[in-house]
């Protein structure tokens, strides 16, 4: 068995009559809110999955699926000694490590309604398709303040992946005390090439970590973790199209390596997926992913579609949790 958590008191919710989806979600929220107040404290009763790494893939707005999974984890105090996130996965990982359940979902849904930061309107107003600076500044310090104190006191280790614009190498970076550097790493990890400007981290030009290492499972295994939970943002069997066109030199003229990495990424990404599915089939890792092809794309700003994907992430995590808890066969037996 991969791990065991007794939640017999929670399984009764499955016996409820079939209600409308919205009402059922409300009942779930009420139930878990009461349980949180009565029994759960994020500073104790932590279910740490020992010797296991948590890997968070990127994918732009598809990462709202990951938000749902991580909110479920936080509700049940599920932690990992090592977490690594890429791009949108890194952004989600920040709120997971600061123990701010609902923060990422707020940014992806509620905030999108009141302060649209993706799309044509943002391009016309601010000259950019996605306004990451807004998320890492005004949102993080004013609208929904990031809990730096809890983040920096978290004893579990967290890394974010960036890509060096000159060498094309993946950099695995962490920060445990410096606010400015922490958010510079996060901003760099999320900065899509061409769409967002290069971000300087430690005096080096960095861009989206997914360019060099989209799913950093090898990094986690290389650090000595024998098992892993991998959260992906595409359904099983998904593969990228290999028909990418070479990026013209007038795009990103200072960093030809970035253009080359963009061109080769589909093949490298597909190879990672092949490897991950083999490890999943062998039982070495557990993969949590969407169950069907996604309607949400990298830059989707439709709140209804994003909310549905968040709910799917939450529900998929719940099914995985119940399966592990009641002693059903798991991929790691």
């Amino acid at each position: 068995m991969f791990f065991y958590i007794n939640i017999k008191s929670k399984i009764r919710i499955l016996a409820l009559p079939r209600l409308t989806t919205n009402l059922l979600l409300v009942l779930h929220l009420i139930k878990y809110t009461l349980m949180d107040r009565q029994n759960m404290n994020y500073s104790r009763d932590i279910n740490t999955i020992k010797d296991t790494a948590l890997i968070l893939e990127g994918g732009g707005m598809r990462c709202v699926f990951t938000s749902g999974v991580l909110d479920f984890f936080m509700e049940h105090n599920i932690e990992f000694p090592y977490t690594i996130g890429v791009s949108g996965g890194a952004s989600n990982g920040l709120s997971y490590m600061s123990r701010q359940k609902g923060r990422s979902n707020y940014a992806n849904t509620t905030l999108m309604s009141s302060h649209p930061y993706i799309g044509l309107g943002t391009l016309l107003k601010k000259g950019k398709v996605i306004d990451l600076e807004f998320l890492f500044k005004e949102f993080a310090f004013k609208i929904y303040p990031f809990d730096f104190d809890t983040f920096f006191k978290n004893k579990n280790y967290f890394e974010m992946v960036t890509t060096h614009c000159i060498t094309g190498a993946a950099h695995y970076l962490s920060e445990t005390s410096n606010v400015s550097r922490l958010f510079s790493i996060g901003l760099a990890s999320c900065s899509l090439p061409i769409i967002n400007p290069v971000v300087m981290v430690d005096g080096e030009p960095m861009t989206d970590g997914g360019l060099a290492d989209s799913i950093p499972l090898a990094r986690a295994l290389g650090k000595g973790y024998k098992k892993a939970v991998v959260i992906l943002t595409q359904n099983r069997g998904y593969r990228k199209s290999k028909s990418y066109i070479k990026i013209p030199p007038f795009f990103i003229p200072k960093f030809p390596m970035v253009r080359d990495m963009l061109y080769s990424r589909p093949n490298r990404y597909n190879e990672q997926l092949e490897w991950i599915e083999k490890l999943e089939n062998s039982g070495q890792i557990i993969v949590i992913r969407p169950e069907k092809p996604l309607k949400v794309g990298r830059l989707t700003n439709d709140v209804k579609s994003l909310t549905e994907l968040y709910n799917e992430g939450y529900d998929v995590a719940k099914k995985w949790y119940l399966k592990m808890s009641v002693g059903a066969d798991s991929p790691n037996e």
Side-chain angles (χ1 to χ4, degrees), residues 95 99-107 111 135 137-147 183:
S95 293
R99 299 294 172 257
Q100 289 178 277
K101 175 183 172 292
R103 184 175 182 274
S104 290
N105 186 44
Y106 184 95
L111 187 67
L135 291 176
K137 292 179 181 178
E138 186 172 347
F139 175 69
F141 289 95
K142 296 180 180 179
I143 298 174
Y144 201 136
F146 185 76
D147 189 345
F183 272 9

PDB file of all heavy atoms in Angstrom, residues 95 99-107 111 135 137-147 183:
ATOM      1  N   SER A  95       1.200  28.730  -3.249  1.00  0.00           N
ATOM      2  CA  SER A  95       0.050  28.798  -2.339  1.00  0.00           C
ATOM      3  C   SER A  95      -0.120  27.510  -1.552  1.00  0.00           C
ATOM      4  O   SER A  95      -0.617  27.528  -0.424  1.00  0.00           O
ATOM      5  CB  SER A  95      -1.231  29.107  -3.123  1.00  0.00           C
ATOM      6  OG  SER A  95      -1.194  30.411  -3.667  1.00  0.00           O
ATOM      7  N   ARG A  99       0.107  27.239   2.567  1.00  0.00           N
ATOM      8  CA  ARG A  99      -1.109  26.686   3.180  1.00  0.00           C
ATOM      9  C   ARG A  99      -2.304  27.611   3.022  1.00  0.00           C
ATOM     10  O   ARG A  99      -3.105  27.772   3.940  1.00  0.00           O
ATOM     11  CB  ARG A  99      -0.860  26.354   4.655  1.00  0.00           C
ATOM     12  CG  ARG A  99       0.229  25.332   4.887  1.00  0.00           C
ATOM     13  CD  ARG A  99      -0.192  23.966   4.331  1.00  0.00           C
ATOM     14  NE  ARG A  99       0.914  23.020   4.365  1.00  0.00           N
ATOM     15  CZ  ARG A  99       1.626  22.663   3.301  1.00  0.00           C
ATOM     16  NH1 ARG A  99       1.356  23.197   2.121  1.00  0.00           N
ATOM     17  NH2 ARG A  99       2.583  21.774   3.386  1.00  0.00           N
ATOM     18  N   GLN A 100      -2.462  28.193   1.839  1.00  0.00           N
ATOM     19  CA  GLN A 100      -3.570  29.107   1.581  1.00  0.00           C
ATOM     20  C   GLN A 100      -4.570  28.451   0.635  1.00  0.00           C
ATOM     21  O   GLN A 100      -4.602  28.720  -0.559  1.00  0.00           O
ATOM     22  CB  GLN A 100      -3.050  30.433   1.030  1.00  0.00           C
ATOM     23  CG  GLN A 100      -2.309  31.246   2.091  1.00  0.00           C
ATOM     24  CD  GLN A 100      -1.749  32.543   1.551  1.00  0.00           C
ATOM     25  OE1 GLN A 100      -0.663  32.564   0.970  1.00  0.00           O
ATOM     26  NE2 GLN A 100      -2.496  33.627   1.750  1.00  0.00           N
ATOM     27  N   LYS A 101      -5.377  27.582   1.213  1.00  0.00           N
ATOM     28  CA  LYS A 101      -6.401  26.878   0.449  1.00  0.00           C
ATOM     29  C   LYS A 101      -7.343  27.893  -0.208  1.00  0.00           C
ATOM     30  O   LYS A 101      -7.813  28.827   0.423  1.00  0.00           O
ATOM     31  CB  LYS A 101      -7.190  25.950   1.356  1.00  0.00           C
ATOM     32  CG  LYS A 101      -8.352  25.253   0.677  1.00  0.00           C
ATOM     33  CD  LYS A 101      -9.126  24.420   1.669  1.00  0.00           C
ATOM     34  CE  LYS A 101     -10.406  23.883   1.038  1.00  0.00           C
ATOM     35  NZ  LYS A 101     -11.378  24.944   0.742  1.00  0.00           N
ATOM     36  N   GLY A 102      -7.605  27.713  -1.486  1.00  0.00           N
ATOM     37  CA  GLY A 102      -8.516  28.576  -2.208  1.00  0.00           C
ATOM     38  C   GLY A 102      -7.869  29.773  -2.873  1.00  0.00           C
ATOM     39  O   GLY A 102      -8.484  30.414  -3.727  1.00  0.00           O
ATOM     40  N   ARG A 103      -6.619  30.066  -2.522  1.00  0.00           N
ATOM     41  CA  ARG A 103      -5.977  31.267  -3.069  1.00  0.00           C
ATOM     42  C   ARG A 103      -5.748  31.155  -4.577  1.00  0.00           C
ATOM     43  O   ARG A 103      -6.052  32.090  -5.330  1.00  0.00           O
ATOM     44  CB  ARG A 103      -4.655  31.530  -2.347  1.00  0.00           C
ATOM     45  CG  ARG A 103      -3.953  32.814  -2.789  1.00  0.00           C
ATOM     46  CD  ARG A 103      -2.696  33.088  -1.959  1.00  0.00           C
ATOM     47  NE  ARG A 103      -2.079  34.336  -2.383  1.00  0.00           N
ATOM     48  CZ  ARG A 103      -1.225  34.442  -3.386  1.00  0.00           C
ATOM     49  NH1 ARG A 103      -0.878  33.364  -4.081  1.00  0.00           N
ATOM     50  NH2 ARG A 103      -0.716  35.615  -3.708  1.00  0.00           N
ATOM     51  N   SER A 104      -5.226  30.023  -5.023  1.00  0.00           N
ATOM     52  CA  SER A 104      -4.976  29.858  -6.457  1.00  0.00           C
ATOM     53  C   SER A 104      -6.277  29.844  -7.241  1.00  0.00           C
ATOM     54  O   SER A 104      -6.363  30.417  -8.330  1.00  0.00           O
ATOM     55  CB  SER A 104      -4.192  28.565  -6.708  1.00  0.00           C
ATOM     56  OG  SER A 104      -2.866  28.681  -6.240  1.00  0.00           O
ATOM     57  N   ASN A 105      -7.281  29.190  -6.692  1.00  0.00           N
ATOM     58  CA  ASN A 105      -8.570  29.164  -7.377  1.00  0.00           C
ATOM     59  C   ASN A 105      -9.177  30.556  -7.450  1.00  0.00           C
ATOM     60  O   ASN A 105      -9.791  30.922  -8.460  1.00  0.00           O
ATOM     61  CB  ASN A 105      -9.529  28.216  -6.656  1.00  0.00           C
ATOM     62  CG  ASN A 105     -10.832  28.050  -7.402  1.00  0.00           C
ATOM     63  OD1 ASN A 105     -10.849  27.893  -8.619  1.00  0.00           O
ATOM     64  ND2 ASN A 105     -11.944  28.099  -6.680  1.00  0.00           N
ATOM     65  N   TYR A 106      -9.011  31.336  -6.406  1.00  0.00           N
ATOM     66  CA  TYR A 106      -9.490  32.724  -6.420  1.00  0.00           C
ATOM     67  C   TYR A 106      -8.828  33.498  -7.565  1.00  0.00           C
ATOM     68  O   TYR A 106      -9.481  34.241  -8.296  1.00  0.00           O
ATOM     69  CB  TYR A 106      -9.191  33.395  -5.086  1.00  0.00           C
ATOM     70  CG  TYR A 106      -9.724  34.806  -4.966  1.00  0.00           C
ATOM     71  CD1 TYR A 106     -10.962  35.060  -4.376  1.00  0.00           C
ATOM     72  CD2 TYR A 106      -8.998  35.891  -5.442  1.00  0.00           C
ATOM     73  CE1 TYR A 106     -11.458  36.357  -4.268  1.00  0.00           C
ATOM     74  CE2 TYR A 106      -9.475  37.195  -5.346  1.00  0.00           C
ATOM     75  CZ  TYR A 106     -10.710  37.415  -4.755  1.00  0.00           C
ATOM     76  OH  TYR A 106     -11.194  38.696  -4.668  1.00  0.00           O
ATOM     77  N   ALA A 107      -7.523  33.308  -7.715  1.00  0.00           N
ATOM     78  CA  ALA A 107      -6.791  34.005  -8.771  1.00  0.00           C
ATOM     79  C   ALA A 107      -7.281  33.593 -10.157  1.00  0.00           C
ATOM     80  O   ALA A 107      -7.331  34.408 -11.079  1.00  0.00           O
ATOM     81  CB  ALA A 107      -5.297  33.736  -8.644  1.00  0.00           C
ATOM     82  N   LEU A 111     -10.934  36.387  -9.424  1.00  0.00           N
ATOM     83  CA  LEU A 111     -10.100  37.506  -9.858  1.00  0.00           C
ATOM     84  C   LEU A 111     -10.233  37.737 -11.359  1.00  0.00           C
ATOM     85  O   LEU A 111     -10.196  38.885 -11.820  1.00  0.00           O
ATOM     86  CB  LEU A 111      -8.638  37.242  -9.488  1.00  0.00           C
ATOM     87  CG  LEU A 111      -7.663  38.394  -9.738  1.00  0.00           C
ATOM     88  CD1 LEU A 111      -7.964  39.556  -8.802  1.00  0.00           C
ATOM     89  CD2 LEU A 111      -6.217  37.943  -9.554  1.00  0.00           C
ATOM     90  N   LEU A 135      -0.214  39.624 -10.996  1.00  0.00           N
ATOM     91  CA  LEU A 135      -0.407  38.501 -10.082  1.00  0.00           C
ATOM     92  C   LEU A 135       0.653  38.456  -8.994  1.00  0.00           C
ATOM     93  O   LEU A 135       0.354  38.140  -7.834  1.00  0.00           O
ATOM     94  CB  LEU A 135      -0.390  37.182 -10.861  1.00  0.00           C
ATOM     95  CG  LEU A 135      -1.574  36.919 -11.790  1.00  0.00           C
ATOM     96  CD1 LEU A 135      -1.360  35.619 -12.556  1.00  0.00           C
ATOM     97  CD2 LEU A 135      -2.875  36.871 -11.014  1.00  0.00           C
ATOM     98  N   LYS A 137       2.435  40.991  -7.891  1.00  0.00           N
ATOM     99  CA  LYS A 137       2.579  42.245  -7.146  1.00  0.00           C
ATOM    100  C   LYS A 137       1.266  42.650  -6.495  1.00  0.00           C
ATOM    101  O   LYS A 137       1.056  42.416  -5.308  1.00  0.00           O
ATOM    102  CB  LYS A 137       3.123  43.343  -8.065  1.00  0.00           C
ATOM    103  CG  LYS A 137       4.561  43.083  -8.503  1.00  0.00           C
ATOM    104  CD  LYS A 137       5.086  44.180  -9.432  1.00  0.00           C
ATOM    105  CE  LYS A 137       6.519  43.882  -9.863  1.00  0.00           C
ATOM    106  NZ  LYS A 137       7.044  44.912 -10.811  1.00  0.00           N
ATOM    107  N   GLU A 138       0.351  43.229  -7.281  1.00  0.00           N
ATOM    108  CA  GLU A 138      -0.881  43.746  -6.681  1.00  0.00           C
ATOM    109  C   GLU A 138      -1.708  42.631  -6.041  1.00  0.00           C
ATOM    110  O   GLU A 138      -2.205  42.778  -4.918  1.00  0.00           O
ATOM    111  CB  GLU A 138      -1.714  44.477  -7.737  1.00  0.00           C
ATOM    112  CG  GLU A 138      -2.946  45.157  -7.149  1.00  0.00           C
ATOM    113  CD  GLU A 138      -3.664  46.035  -8.158  1.00  0.00           C
ATOM    114  OE1 GLU A 138      -3.091  46.324  -9.233  1.00  0.00           O
ATOM    115  OE2 GLU A 138      -4.808  46.433  -7.868  1.00  0.00           O
ATOM    116  N   PHE A 139      -1.871  41.515  -6.745  1.00  0.00           N
ATOM    117  CA  PHE A 139      -2.642  40.410  -6.179  1.00  0.00           C
ATOM    118  C   PHE A 139      -1.962  39.841  -4.939  1.00  0.00           C
ATOM    119  O   PHE A 139      -2.607  39.594  -3.916  1.00  0.00           O
ATOM    120  CB  PHE A 139      -2.830  39.310  -7.221  1.00  0.00           C
ATOM    121  CG  PHE A 139      -3.510  38.077  -6.683  1.00  0.00           C
ATOM    122  CD1 PHE A 139      -4.846  38.114  -6.320  1.00  0.00           C
ATOM    123  CD2 PHE A 139      -2.818  36.879  -6.547  1.00  0.00           C
ATOM    124  CE1 PHE A 139      -5.483  36.977  -5.811  1.00  0.00           C
ATOM    125  CE2 PHE A 139      -3.441  35.752  -6.041  1.00  0.00           C
ATOM    126  CZ  PHE A 139      -4.778  35.794  -5.675  1.00  0.00           C
ATOM    127  N   ALA A 140      -0.658  39.642  -5.031  1.00  0.00           N
ATOM    128  CA  ALA A 140       0.073  38.973  -3.957  1.00  0.00           C
ATOM    129  C   ALA A 140       0.244  39.831  -2.711  1.00  0.00           C
ATOM    130  O   ALA A 140       0.381  39.304  -1.597  1.00  0.00           O
ATOM    131  CB  ALA A 140       1.449  38.533  -4.466  1.00  0.00           C
ATOM    132  N   PHE A 141       0.223  41.158  -2.874  1.00  0.00           N
ATOM    133  CA  PHE A 141       0.476  42.027  -1.722  1.00  0.00           C
ATOM    134  C   PHE A 141      -0.758  42.797  -1.255  1.00  0.00           C
ATOM    135  O   PHE A 141      -0.812  43.229  -0.105  1.00  0.00           O
ATOM    136  CB  PHE A 141       1.599  43.019  -2.052  1.00  0.00           C
ATOM    137  CG  PHE A 141       2.948  42.380  -2.149  1.00  0.00           C
ATOM    138  CD1 PHE A 141       3.457  41.977  -3.380  1.00  0.00           C
ATOM    139  CD2 PHE A 141       3.720  42.163  -1.025  1.00  0.00           C
ATOM    140  CE1 PHE A 141       4.710  41.380  -3.480  1.00  0.00           C
ATOM    141  CE2 PHE A 141       4.966  41.559  -1.113  1.00  0.00           C
ATOM    142  CZ  PHE A 141       5.461  41.165  -2.341  1.00  0.00           C
ATOM    143  N   LYS A 142      -1.768  42.950  -2.125  1.00  0.00           N
ATOM    144  CA  LYS A 142      -2.917  43.776  -1.759  1.00  0.00           C
ATOM    145  C   LYS A 142      -4.244  43.015  -1.811  1.00  0.00           C
ATOM    146  O   LYS A 142      -5.001  43.023  -0.840  1.00  0.00           O
ATOM    147  CB  LYS A 142      -2.995  45.003  -2.676  1.00  0.00           C
ATOM    148  CG  LYS A 142      -1.816  45.957  -2.548  1.00  0.00           C
ATOM    149  CD  LYS A 142      -1.969  47.146  -3.502  1.00  0.00           C
ATOM    150  CE  LYS A 142      -0.795  48.106  -3.385  1.00  0.00           C
ATOM    151  NZ  LYS A 142      -0.924  49.254  -4.335  1.00  0.00           N
ATOM    152  N   ILE A 143      -4.530  42.376  -2.936  1.00  0.00           N
ATOM    153  CA  ILE A 143      -5.841  41.768  -3.124  1.00  0.00           C
ATOM    154  C   ILE A 143      -6.009  40.502  -2.294  1.00  0.00           C
ATOM    155  O   ILE A 143      -7.005  40.322  -1.594  1.00  0.00           O
ATOM    156  CB  ILE A 143      -6.087  41.475  -4.613  1.00  0.00           C
ATOM    157  CG1 ILE A 143      -6.068  42.786  -5.411  1.00  0.00           C
ATOM    158  CG2 ILE A 143      -7.417  40.743  -4.815  1.00  0.00           C
ATOM    159  CD1 ILE A 143      -6.159  42.597  -6.912  1.00  0.00           C
ATOM    160  N   TYR A 144      -5.030  39.601  -2.371  1.00  0.00           N
ATOM    161  CA  TYR A 144      -5.067  38.356  -1.605  1.00  0.00           C
ATOM    162  C   TYR A 144      -3.634  38.101  -1.133  1.00  0.00           C
ATOM    163  O   TYR A 144      -2.898  37.324  -1.721  1.00  0.00           O
ATOM    164  CB  TYR A 144      -5.557  37.200  -2.477  1.00  0.00           C
ATOM    165  CG  TYR A 144      -6.109  36.009  -1.737  1.00  0.00           C
ATOM    166  CD1 TYR A 144      -7.285  35.387  -2.165  1.00  0.00           C
ATOM    167  CD2 TYR A 144      -5.458  35.466  -0.623  1.00  0.00           C
ATOM    168  CE1 TYR A 144      -7.803  34.284  -1.511  1.00  0.00           C
ATOM    169  CE2 TYR A 144      -5.959  34.371   0.038  1.00  0.00           C
ATOM    170  CZ  TYR A 144      -7.131  33.772  -0.411  1.00  0.00           C
ATOM    171  OH  TYR A 144      -7.640  32.673   0.240  1.00  0.00           O
ATOM    172  N   PRO A 145      -3.222  38.772  -0.052  1.00  0.00           N
ATOM    173  CA  PRO A 145      -1.821  38.742   0.374  1.00  0.00           C
ATOM    174  C   PRO A 145      -1.276  37.335   0.572  1.00  0.00           C
ATOM    175  O   PRO A 145      -1.920  36.478   1.177  1.00  0.00           O
ATOM    176  CB  PRO A 145      -1.839  39.519   1.690  1.00  0.00           C
ATOM    177  CG  PRO A 145      -3.023  40.427   1.570  1.00  0.00           C
ATOM    178  CD  PRO A 145      -4.045  39.636   0.802  1.00  0.00           C
ATOM    179  N   PHE A 146      -0.094  37.134   0.042  1.00  0.00           N
ATOM    180  CA  PHE A 146       0.601  35.862   0.193  1.00  0.00           C
ATOM    181  C   PHE A 146       1.130  35.742   1.614  1.00  0.00           C
ATOM    182  O   PHE A 146       1.670  36.702   2.173  1.00  0.00           O
ATOM    183  CB  PHE A 146       1.760  35.782  -0.808  1.00  0.00           C
ATOM    184  CG  PHE A 146       2.475  34.470  -0.822  1.00  0.00           C
ATOM    185  CD1 PHE A 146       1.912  33.358  -1.435  1.00  0.00           C
ATOM    186  CD2 PHE A 146       3.721  34.333  -0.223  1.00  0.00           C
ATOM    187  CE1 PHE A 146       2.582  32.145  -1.463  1.00  0.00           C
ATOM    188  CE2 PHE A 146       4.401  33.127  -0.243  1.00  0.00           C
ATOM    189  CZ  PHE A 146       3.836  32.027  -0.864  1.00  0.00           C
ATOM    190  N   ASP A 147       0.991  34.558   2.204  1.00  0.00           N
ATOM    191  CA  ASP A 147       1.436  34.338   3.584  1.00  0.00           C
ATOM    192  C   ASP A 147       2.916  33.935   3.588  1.00  0.00           C
ATOM    193  O   ASP A 147       3.257  32.758   3.626  1.00  0.00           O
ATOM    194  CB  ASP A 147       0.580  33.251   4.231  1.00  0.00           C
ATOM    195  CG  ASP A 147       0.843  33.114   5.737  1.00  0.00           C
ATOM    196  OD1 ASP A 147       1.868  33.640   6.211  1.00  0.00           O
ATOM    197  OD2 ASP A 147       0.027  32.468   6.412  1.00  0.00           O
ATOM    198  N   PHE A 183       9.694  35.686  -5.373  1.00  0.00           N
ATOM    199  CA  PHE A 183       8.739  36.016  -6.423  1.00  0.00           C
ATOM    200  C   PHE A 183       9.403  36.219  -7.773  1.00  0.00           C
ATOM    201  O   PHE A 183       8.774  36.029  -8.817  1.00  0.00           O
ATOM    202  CB  PHE A 183       7.925  37.245  -6.021  1.00  0.00           C
ATOM    203  CG  PHE A 183       6.691  36.900  -5.222  1.00  0.00           C
ATOM    204  CD1 PHE A 183       6.481  35.610  -4.752  1.00  0.00           C
ATOM    205  CD2 PHE A 183       5.731  37.848  -4.947  1.00  0.00           C
ATOM    206  CE1 PHE A 183       5.348  35.280  -4.023  1.00  0.00           C
ATOM    207  CE2 PHE A 183       4.584  37.535  -4.224  1.00  0.00           C
ATOM    208  CZ  PHE A 183       4.396  36.236  -3.764  1.00  0.00           C
TER     209      PHE A 183
END
